């Protein structure tokens, strides 16, 4: 990241609540949504889905639909931050974007972080073992 690793660069991201919210929300929502049923079996107390169901007294499908909307809002927030004027240095915003991309690949259809299936193995091979040369 070059010069952007200076303390001022990290201070700028701390003062930007939207960039920080994006970084915090992504993994939590995506992980909890794909792991909700598994977490119930393990008696985990708090998940986003469980909390949403309890707070709004809605069906599980409604909760999932609303949480997907929140993920889409996070996508728009990322785009706004990267495409619009901001005090946060672009290399730090690129890290947030790349984190989101990784979460999207890992949690797209299943918990690819905990349970590695063949599709996730192939993604890892494509990114790290056999990357496309630029």
């Amino acid at each position: 990241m070059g010069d952007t690793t200076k303390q001022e660069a990290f201070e700028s991201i701390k003062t930007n609540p939207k960039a920080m919210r994006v970084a915090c929300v992504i993994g939590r929502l995506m992980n909890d949504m794909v792991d909700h049923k598994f977490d119930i079996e393990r008696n985990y107390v708090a998940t986003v889905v469980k909390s949403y169901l309890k707070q709004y007294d809605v069906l599980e499908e409604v909760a999932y639909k609303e949480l997907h909307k929140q993920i889409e809002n996070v996508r728009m927030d990322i785009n706004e931050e990267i495409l619009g004027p901001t005090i946060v240095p672009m290399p730090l915003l690129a890290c947030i974007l790349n984190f989101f991309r990784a979460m999207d690949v890992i949690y797209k259809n299943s918990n690819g972080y905990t349970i590695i299936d063949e599709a996730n193995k192939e993604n890892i091979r494509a990114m790290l073992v056999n990357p496309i040369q630029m």
Side-chain angles (χ1 to χ4, degrees), residues 67-104:
L67 294 171
H68 276 290
K69 283 182 193 175
Q70 289 183 23
I71 290 172
E72 287 307 311
N73 289 339
V74 169
R75 285 182 203 270
M76 288 188 277
D77 289 346
I78 291 170
N79 289 337
E80 282 178 19
E81 287 296 300
I82 290 175
L83 298 174
T86 180
I87 61 169
V88 179
M90 186 54 75
L92 289 178
L93 289 175
C95 287
I96 293 171
L97 177 62
N98 288 335
F99 177 72
F100 182 82
R101 289 174 175 160
M103 293 299 101
D104 198 45

Side-chain angles (χ1 to χ4, degrees), residues 25-37:
V25 167
I26 293 167
R28 176 82 283 146
L29 284 177
M30 296 180 98
N31 176 280
D32 279 3
M33 288 177 66
V34 297
D35 256 0
H36 174 66
K37 301 233 187 295

Side-chain angles (χ1 to χ4, degrees):
M1 282 195 299
D3 290 338
T4 60
T5 57
K6 292 181 182 171
Q7 186 65 27
E8 301 87 44
F10 289 103
E11 291 298 324
S12 70
I13 202 164
K14 283 186 355 186
T15 62
N16 187 333
K18 188 181 280 188
M20 286 304 296
R21 185 181 70 81
V22 165
C24 294
V25 167
I26 293 167
R28 176 82 283 146
L29 284 177
M30 296 180 98
N31 176 280
D32 279 3
M33 288 177 66
V34 297
D35 256 0
H36 174 66
K37 301 233 187 295
F38 186 56
D39 288 343
I40 289 173
E41 292 171 13
R42 295 187 294 182
N43 285 330
Y44 274 18
V45 176
T47 68
V48 171
V49 177
K50 194 173 180 180
S51 297
Y52 194 92
L53 291 170
K54 185 176 181 179
Q55 182 174 352
Y56 295 104
D57 193 29
V58 295
L59 297 174
E60 197 170 288
E61 295 79 27
V62 174
Y64 277 100
K65 189 174 182 178
E66 181 57 37
L67 294 171
H68 276 290
K69 283 182 193 175
Q70 289 183 23
I71 290 172
E72 287 307 311
N73 289 339
V74 169
R75 285 182 203 270
M76 288 188 277
D77 289 346
I78 291 170
N79 289 337
E80 282 178 19
E81 287 296 300
I82 290 175
L83 298 174
T86 180
I87 61 169
V88 179
M90 186 54 75
L92 289 178
L93 289 175
C95 287
I96 293 171
L97 177 62
N98 288 335
F99 177 72
F100 182 82
R101 289 174 175 160
M103 293 299 101
D104 198 45
V105 168
I106 291 169
Y107 294 118
K108 192 64 160 188
N109 299 312
S110 65
N111 185 345
Y113 184 78
T114 305
I115 304 163
I116 307 294
D117 59 8
E118 194 55 42
N120 283 318
K121 287 179 184 177
E122 188 55 40
N123 285 333
I124 291 168
R125 275 189 221 103
M127 289 187 293
L128 302 174
V129 178
N130 304 317
I132 296 173
Q133 297 299 319
M134 302 287 263

